[in-house]
């Protein structure tokens, strides 16, 4: 019964590795009496690697079956910490054996590459090389030469085929069938471990602690739910084809009648302030896009590493390095003096946004530039995309704005509740508390004591100035919600 659940690729890999063990054993027995240990080492190493790979496949099959049985038996284990821990332990055991099999595949690939090199070198020397094994086989009976050719062929085939066959022994569908909850639980574990390992590679080792209800777990749950279409037997390419057809049918050739065209001066203003949104990428991402080959030098130059004596003249931003390099990078890109940059944050946590506040006296404008996706924390904010209800405070700028038509405000009230991307909404709320929250003395009689109020309030330095909030990608979405609120 278990043979029916095997993948065809697993059968090919298993038979090929077994054949490699047999052929390698025959060659070692034939050549060992005449050749030294160093000569027959590669012919002993490759069959030994194949034997270990077969043992790893056996352990992978056991671990995979245990993982699938646990997931099928506990499809709704997300509400129980002990059951979720049991599922995670079995999954990790399967994952460990797949990594071990991957390591053996790499060793087999290196062995096959060396075998080809040795064979080509022997032929190029006109079969006069000092290689003992090849010389012994070529000068012996015909069947020994055929065994050698078969061994080299199978070794190269196994090394290449295993690179594309994957490590799974059984077909997951043989365990899960069309159980929607089982597929969701399986892919949640897949994405949870994958995201944590990717974040670890990006320097965020703390996420390997595998907390139960952290942001990585939430993102993995969402992605697991998205790919649960596998339960119906739908493949990835079929889903993409369906989405493409849906997009084609949903396209309209005529714009809606109530859609208004933005005036040209708005486009000109957007082009003018676009550089402030672009400059918010003070990490190496912007320089990599502009200078793929010399971006480390360009980024270090923007960070002000060549002018460390000007460090004290640069503004101190929250989370900046000792050189205050992110402030230097921003100012250098927009070509502004240090006193123009009033406040900012460059090293933020998840569901928070990096931002810069700049005062432009020559155009009577205060600019808030919100950075887009650049750090692993930004990726987590992107991934937290479950719906979130917008409160009246989030829509305060629309509901209480006298410049908006009353019919639009009534429509906003009547169509509530309104929803948004949870990661972006929470990041916008945090940013509002940063730039215009009640940061001063709660008992002050002057009302709001936020940073923007201290700049744009009556009698303040920027009284009467315009406020421009810009951003790109994730920063543009956060800037939009912040603009609606203020």
């Amino acid at each position: 019964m278990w043979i029916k659940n095997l993948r065809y690729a697993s059968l090919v890999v298993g038979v090929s590795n077994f054949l490699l063990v047999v052929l390698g054993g025959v060659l070692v027995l034939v050549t060992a009496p005449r050749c030294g240990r160093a000569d027959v080492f590669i012919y002993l190493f490759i069959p030994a690697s194949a034997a270990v790979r077969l043992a790893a496949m056996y352990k992978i099959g056991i671990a995979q079956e245990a993982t699938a049985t646990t997931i099928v038996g506990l499809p709704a284990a997300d509400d129980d910490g002990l059951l979720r821990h049991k599922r995670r332990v079995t999954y990790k055991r399967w994952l460990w054996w797949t990594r071990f099999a991957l390591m053996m595949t790499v060793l087999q690939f290196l062995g096959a590459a060396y075998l080809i090199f040795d064979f080509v070198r022997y032929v190029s020397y006109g079969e006069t090389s000092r290689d003992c094994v090849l010389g012994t086989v070529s000068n012996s009976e015909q069947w020994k030469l055929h065994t050698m050719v078969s061994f080299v062929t199978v070794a190269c085939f196994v090394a290449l085929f295993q690179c594309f066959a994957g490590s799974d022994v059984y077909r997951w569908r043989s365990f899960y069938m069309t159980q929607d909850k089982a597929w969701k639980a399986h892919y949640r574990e897949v994405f949870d471990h994958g995201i944590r390992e990717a974040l670890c590679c990006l320097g965020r080792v703390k996420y390997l602690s595998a907390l139960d209800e952290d942001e990585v777990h939430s993102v993995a749950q969402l992605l697991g739910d998205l790919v649960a279409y596998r339960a119906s037997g739908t493949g990835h390419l079929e889903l993409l084809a369906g989405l493409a057809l849906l997009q084609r049918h949903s396209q309209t050739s005529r714009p809606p009648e109530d859609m208004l065209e933005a005036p040209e001066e708005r486009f000109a203003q957007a082009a003018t302030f676009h550089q402030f949104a672009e400059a918010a990428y003070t990490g190496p991402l912007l320089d990599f896009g502009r200078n793929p080959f010399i971006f480390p030098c360009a980024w270090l130059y923007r960070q002000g590493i060549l002018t460390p004596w000007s460090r004290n003249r640069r503004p101190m931003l929250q989370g900046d390095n000792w050189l205050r390099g992110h402030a230097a990078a921003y100012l250098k890109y927009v070509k502004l003096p240090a006193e123009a940059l009033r406040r900012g944050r460059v090293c933020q946590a998840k569901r928070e946004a990096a931002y810069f506040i700049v005062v432009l006296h020559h155009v009577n404008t205060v600019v808030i530039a919100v950075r887009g996706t650049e750090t692993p924390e930004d990726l987590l904010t992107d991934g937290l995309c479950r719906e979130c209800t917008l409160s009246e405070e989030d829509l305060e700028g629309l509901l209480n704005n006298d410049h908006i038509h009353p019919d639009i405000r009534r429509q906003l009230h009547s169509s509530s509740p309104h929803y948004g991307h949870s990661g972006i909404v929470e990041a916008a709320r945090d940013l509002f508390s940063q730039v215009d929250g009640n940061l001063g003395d709660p008992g002050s009689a002057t009302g709001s004591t936020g940073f923007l109020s201290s700049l744009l309030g009556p009698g303040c330095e920027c009284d009467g100035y315009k406020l421009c909030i810009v951003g790109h990608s994730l920063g543009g979405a956060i800037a939009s919600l912040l603009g609606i609120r203020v």
Side-chain angles (χ1 to χ4, degrees):
M1 187 67 181
W2 59 272
I3 297 180
K4 297 181 180 180
N5 298 335
L6 289 175
R7 298 171 61 230
Y8 294 121
S10 300
L11 289 173
V12 174
V13 171
V15 172
S16 301
N17 277 289
F18 179 76
L19 186 60
L20 198 59
V21 172
V22 174
L23 294 174
V26 172
L27 288 175
V28 170
L29 291 176
V30 169
T31 59
R34 298 183 181 182
C35 302
R37 295 179 179 178
D39 295 324
V40 300
F41 174 77
I42 188 64
Y43 299 94
L44 185 62
F45 172 78
I46 293 178
S49 300
V52 175
R53 183 68 170 83
L54 286 173
M57 288 182 63
Y58 174 74
K59 298 297 292 187
I60 289 174
I62 295 176
Q64 187 177 0
E65 184 176 8
T67 301
T69 303
T70 304
I71 290 177
V72 171
L74 309 171
D78 285 333
D79 297 330
D80 192 313
L82 293 177
L83 298 179
R84 185 167 56 247
H85 177 72
K86 181 180 179 181
R87 187 179 67 193
R88 184 165 293 165
V89 168
T90 56
Y91 181 86
K92 281 187 175 181
R93 187 179 298 114
W94 166 77
L95 190 63
W96 189 92
W97 281 110
T98 58
R99 300 291 168 78
F100 179 76
L102 179 61
M103 182 179 66
M104 297 310 303
T105 300
V106 172
L107 292 178
Q108 288 181 278
F109 186 87
L110 295 176
Y114 178 81
L115 196 62
I116 293 176
F117 171 76
D118 195 32
F119 193 80
V120 171
R121 184 179 60 177
Y122 178 78
V123 174
S124 64
Y125 278 104
E127 301 184 1
T128 60
S129 174
R130 295 181 179 180
D131 192 291
C132 179
V133 175
L134 292 176
T136 301
V137 171
S138 61
N139 297 325
S140 300
E141 292 85 349
Q142 195 70 19
W143 68 270
K144 295 181 181 179
L145 181 60
H146 290 166
T147 302
M148 172 61 73
V149 173
S150 301
F151 177 77
V152 175
T153 303
V154 175
C156 296
F157 170 77
V158 168
L160 291 176
F161 186 79
Q162 288 180 157
C163 296
F164 304 97
S167 301
D168 293 342
V169 175
Y170 294 110
R171 292 180 290 110
W172 289 110
R173 184 166 298 283
S174 63
F175 299 106
Y176 301 151
M177 303 302 288
T178 58
Q179 300 183 45
D180 182 71
K181 292 183 179 180
W183 282 107
K184 287 183 179 180
H186 171 76
Y187 278 109
R188 285 173 186 174
E189 295 298 328
V190 172
F191 285 116
D192 187 85
H193 286 80
I195 294 173
R196 292 184 192 280
E197 291 178 351
L199 291 174
C200 180
C201 294
L202 294 174
R204 305 304 192 271
V205 184
K206 61 182 180 179
Y207 290 107
L208 280 180
S209 59
L211 298 178
D212 289 337
E213 300 299 335
D214 62 356
E215 285 72 15
V216 175
H217 179 72
S218 301
V219 175
Q221 279 188 319
L222 176 65
L223 295 176
D225 294 345
L226 288 177
V227 297
Y229 60 84
R230 293 291 306 278
S232 61
T234 305
H236 303 305
L237 295 179
E238 293 174 304
L239 177 68
L240 294 177
L243 292 176
L245 291 175
L246 181 63
Q247 182 181 14
R248 179 182 300 178
H249 289 297
S250 63
Q251 290 177 350
T252 175
S253 58
R254 295 184 305 172
E257 297 180 355
D258 56 347
M259 182 178 293
L260 300 177
E261 183 177 357
E264 293 185 2
E265 56 268 19
R266 293 283 184 173
F267 288 105
Q269 187 180 20
T272 301
F273 290 103
H274 172 72
Q275 60 173 332
F276 295 96
E278 195 175 16
Y281 293 95
T282 53
L285 184 62
L286 177 62
D287 297 292
F288 178 77
R290 291 180 171 271
N291 308 286
F293 300 104
I294 61 171
F295 77 93
C297 300
W299 179 64
L300 291 175
Y301 171 73
R302 276 210 305 147
Q303 288 279 314
I305 195 172
L306 300 180
T307 56
W309 54 84
S310 60
R311 167 186 176 274
N312 292 330
R313 295 197 295 270
R314 301 166 187 159
M316 184 62 190
L317 306 180
Q318 181 181 346
D320 207 345
N321 51 45
W322 181 83
L323 276 175
R324 303 181 182 179
H326 291 276
Y330 190 88
L331 293 170
K332 193 181 295 293
Y333 193 88
V334 296
K335 299 180 177 59
L336 288 176
E339 57 270 14
L341 181 57
R342 300 301 178 88
R343 193 170 182 171
R345 177 174 62 187
V346 295
C347 185
Q348 85 290 354
K350 44 200 172 290
R351 290 179 292 188
E352 295 179 356
Y355 68 95
F356 302 84
I357 299 180
V358 179
V359 175
L360 305 177
H361 289 295
H362 61 286
V363 291
N364 295 338
T365 303
V366 174
V367 178
I368 302 177
V370 188
R371 191 188 67 197
T373 304
E374 189 176 46
T375 65
E377 286 75 17
D378 295 328
L379 291 173
L380 289 177
T381 302
D382 288 324
L384 295 170
C385 52
R386 293 190 182 275
E387 65 181 25
C388 174
T389 305
L390 297 176
S391 63
E392 291 188 2
E393 290 78 9
D394 297 324
L395 303 173
E396 184 177 2
L398 294 178
L399 299 177
N400 301 324
N401 194 333
D402 295 334
H403 298 285
I404 296 179
H405 196 278
D407 293 339
I408 298 179
R409 283 187 286 173
R410 282 194 295 269
Q411 185 178 3
L412 282 173
H413 280 289
S414 61
S415 60
S416 62
H418 303 279
Y419 300 95
H421 182 292
S422 63
I424 295 174
V425 171
E426 292 181 28
R429 291 170 179 172
D430 172 79
L431 184 55
F432 177 79
S433 66
Q434 288 284 321
V435 301
D436 202 35
N438 213 12
L439 304 179
D441 183 6
S444 175
T446 58
S448 176
T449 57
F451 183 77
L452 284 184
S453 300
S454 65
L455 276 178
L456 300 170
C460 297
E461 176 186 359
C462 301
D463 184 14
Y465 281 26
K466 295 184 295 183
L467 177 63
C468 183
I469 307 175
V470 298
H472 171 263
S473 185
L474 172 64
I478 297 174
S480 299
L481 287 179
L482 180 63
I484 290 176
R485 183 162 186 174
V486 301

